[in-house]
Amino acid sequence: MAFRGPKVWLWRWRRNPLKRRADMVEAWVVLGVWALTVLVGMLAGWTTAGAVERGLARERVEWRPLMARLTERAPGKAVTNGAAGGDQVWAKVGWTGPDGSTHNGQVRVGPGSASGTPVMIWTDRQGRLVTKPATAAQAGLRASLVGGLAGVGAATLPFVGGRVLLGRMERRRVEQWDTDWARFDALWGRPTG
């Protein structure tokens, strides 16, 4: 194993008589790729998180709870003796929208619920059935997670592009070294092949 010595920070930027133009170009490419990766990731993450947060806040404002009624008996056997059953079944409900039109849909209710049983549902401005909107805390968590994923996803593009560029630069540098060594060997009278 070769002795490497202590790790030297910012070695690409130090003066060195053996440093070539390609080494400086690579140093700038590495710096640029890292800066671009961080910038793209942060911008994409913040933009996406803000959009998700605004969308969920709009849902909290626009979506309204409404009392609907089961239009038929829910399938299954009713739970008795106040036992809290976690099982729910799909049942048909009907409600009147904000414009007075009647709507029908399906929601999850306790098994065996009787026809006409009131059920709390959530509707949008047009009276269509929607899920219960996320609370402010839930919206913040969702926005953070989606923003983080979007940021990491967007940051992979400049990172991978930089790795490809650095790989090409490395291949070119190795080819240049081969050419230089062949020239050096010819000066000393050694065979090059």
Side-chain angles (χ1 to χ4, degrees), residues 21-120:
R21 181 174 176 263
D23 297 326
M24 275 308 290
V25 170
E26 182 181 352
W28 282 104
V29 167
V30 167
L31 181 65
V33 164
W34 278 107
L36 190 62
T37 298
V38 169
L39 181 68
V40 166
M42 298 281 283
L43 285 176
W46 278 332
T47 303
T48 304
V52 169
E53 185 83 44
R54 284 187 300 277
L56 293 173
R58 187 175 54 252
E59 288 176 359
R60 281 194 304 276
V61 170
E62 294 177 358
W63 293 0
R64 295 284 176 231
L66 186 68
M67 194 59 70
R69 299 212 176 262
L70 289 177
T71 57
E72 59 187 42
R73 187 179 184 314
K77 195 172 191 181
V79 178
T80 57
N81 298 334
D87 294 338
Q88 290 194 327
V89 295
W90 288 101
K92 292 181 181 178
V93 294
W95 68 93
T96 304
D99 59 355
S101 62
T102 59
H103 297 273
N104 292 308
Q106 288 192 337
V107 296
R108 309 244 331 152
V109 297
S113 297
S115 178
T117 302
V119 178
M120 181 66 71

